[in-house]
Structures are given as structure tokens and as C-alpha cells.
Amino acid sequence: MGFGKGMAEKLDLPKEVVLDLPLVSMVGQEEVTVENHKGLLEYSTETIRIATGAGRLLLTGEGLELKQMSAACIVVKGRIFRLEFLR
């Protein structure tokens, strides 16, 4: 177990904050929220790539659109077929 992960567990701190990892939430196939992101890399109605501390997050689907984007989170809606982390 790494130092940061151990400290997060002992101090009961959110791992995504301490380890600079994304927090990804899905609502069915219709919506994805990515918190703690590093920016938008690619955007089309079929593909969205987002930079994160864990690598690039690839979303594929149809009718994809940004519902919300801020420094803290990105919300994507549409019909999501795949969510995949790339290095």
C-alpha cells in the first residue's frame, strides 16, 4: 500500500483527493460525471476524451454532449456505449 493511500484510509480522507484520482459516476447509459479531471482532450458527438490523474478517460457513444463543464467536474449526457481508461 502506498503512503498516500494509507494516509487517506487512516485519516478517513477521500482517496480521489489525496491521490489525485478522478471520481466517475454513471447514471445508466445516459449520463457520466467526472470529478477531479485535468481537462477535455477531444469532443465530438461520438467520442469524448478527458485527461485525469489516472490516465485518459475515453467515452464512446452517440449523441454525446457536454451538459456541464467546470474546473471541478464534467458532465456528459447522451447514449454511452463504453467508458475506458487509457494510459
Side-chain angles (χ1 to χ4, degrees):
M1 178 183 322
F3 176 75
K5 186 175 181 181
M7 288 300 294
E9 288 177 2
K10 293 225 185 274
L11 298 174
D12 199 27
L13 297 171
K15 290 179 191 172
E16 67 272 9
V17 174
V18 174
L19 301 175
D20 195 31
L21 296 173
L23 178 61
V24 181
S25 305
M26 267 186 100
V27 178
Q29 282 184 269
E30 300 171 2
E31 188 173 284
V32 172
T33 301
V34 181
E35 297 178 57
N36 200 25
H37 67 89
K38 304 291 181 198
L40 191 63
L41 300 171
E42 179 183 351
Y43 174 61
S44 75
T45 58
E46 295 177 347
T47 303
I48 295 179
R49 283 189 313 135
I50 301 168
T52 75
R56 294 167 297 159
L57 177 62
L58 173 65
L59 301 172
T60 56
E62 61 184 31
L64 301 179
E65 61 182 67
L66 292 175
K67 182 176 175 181
Q68 175 187 344
M69 182 172 170
S70 68
C73 90
I74 293 176
V75 180
V76 176
K77 68 180 225 177
R79 187 146 187 239
I80 299 154
F81 299 143
R82 176 182 280 160
L83 184 143
E84 178 178 12
F85 277 97
L86 308 169
R87 288 263 168 209

